Amino acid sequence: MKLTQFAALSTLVCTAFSTHAAPIWQDFSITGLYGKNYELIAREDDQSTITFEYAAKLKYGDFFAFADRTNNDVSGNETYFEVSPRLSLGAISGHKLEAGPIKDVLIATTWEGGEGFNNYLYGIGVDLAIPYFQYAQLNFYKADNYKNTNDDYQLTFVFGVPFKIASEDFLVDGFLDWSTAEDDHASELNWTTQWKWNAGKHISPDTKLYLGVEYSVWNNKYGISGKDENNVSALIKYHF
């Protein structure tokens, strides 16, 4: 294991322990996706995905994790996960680290894992105050990639924008990942957005059952030059 990988793992563990307390808020959800035209599988094949997500705001930071279980006719069942604890420098220091649109500065870490690989990302993140956004995060990472891939750098933007049409509640949320090109792979850009209507409010005021679509644009998928993905998947998402 590389020294930088060890440092990333240590940061993940320390962050997790430092933020181990009763959450200020937490959210569990499960999402079902169904779509076609995914790159690197046969174009006529369908793909279904079940995603389990957990997010929490903690006294000294925040925590987000998800696991995707996908199925298609080419590769069968595969699992991919990310665990992303962040440590608030403002909360630790007791001083507000605010400037312009920046609400806080955090140590940002992510562990990416899947079939036969682990990547460890570490860097700095900021929480942003943007009009009409429920939340917005910008994270800058150094990535220690698994042994067959050169290390690179990654920028991640995470966002959520709620809005209403008449009396109906909608939410647009998602992420944008951009990573640098290295000798053995091209630069990647993955912009995935979910457009959702909260049908659950018609069941009960507290029910969060979303119906909608996920739109994904992924240029140079997996760092393979020219493998560009552009698709829409049907979506159903329930928050517990």
Side-chain angles (χ1 to χ4, degrees), residues 102-116:
I102 296 176
K103 297 194 301 181
D104 196 9
V105 180
L106 306 96
I107 296 173
T109 63
T110 292
W111 171 21
E112 301 174 341
E115 306 296 326

Side-chain angles (χ1 to χ4, degrees), residues 158-216:
V158 181
F159 63 92
V161 182
F163 65 96
K164 281 182 172 287
I165 297 178
S167 62
E168 300 300 320
D169 295 330
F170 296 86
L171 178 64
V172 178
D173 60 3
F175 67 90
L176 185 152
D177 284 341
W178 175 82
S179 61
T180 58
E182 303 299 332
D183 291 341
D184 63 344
H185 61 270
S187 173
E188 288 184 66
L189 186 147
N190 182 354
W191 186 1
T192 297
T193 307
Q194 295 183 351
W195 300 73
K196 298 173 289 194
W197 164 56
N198 184 13
K201 66 178 292 184
H202 297 284
I203 300 173
S204 75
D206 297 326
T207 300
K208 292 184 177 181
L209 174 64
Y210 287 93
L211 304 176
V213 297
E214 179 178 278
Y215 178 49
S216 177

Side-chain angles (χ1 to χ4, degrees), residues 66-130:
F66 75 86
D68 285 340
R69 183 67 170 174
T70 61
N71 177 270
N72 61 66
D73 291 339
V74 174
S75 54
N77 294 313
E78 292 186 345
T79 301
Y80 172 80
F81 67 86
E82 292 187 11
V83 179
S84 300
R86 299 191 310 160
L87 192 62
S88 168
L89 297 179
I92 292 173
S93 66
H95 299 285
K96 291 185 177 180
L97 301 180
E98 299 179 352
I102 296 176
K103 297 194 301 181
D104 196 9
V105 180
L106 306 96
I107 296 173
T109 63
T110 292
W111 171 21
E112 301 174 341
E115 306 296 326
F117 77 93
N118 290 285
N119 300 329
Y120 306 104
L121 287 68
Y122 52 94
I124 198 78
V126 293
D127 284 342
L128 301 172
I130 302 176

Side-chain angles (χ1 to χ4, degrees), residues 17 24 48 78 85 114 152 175:
F17 277 105
I24 298 169
S48 58
E78 292 186 345
D152 54 21
F175 67 90

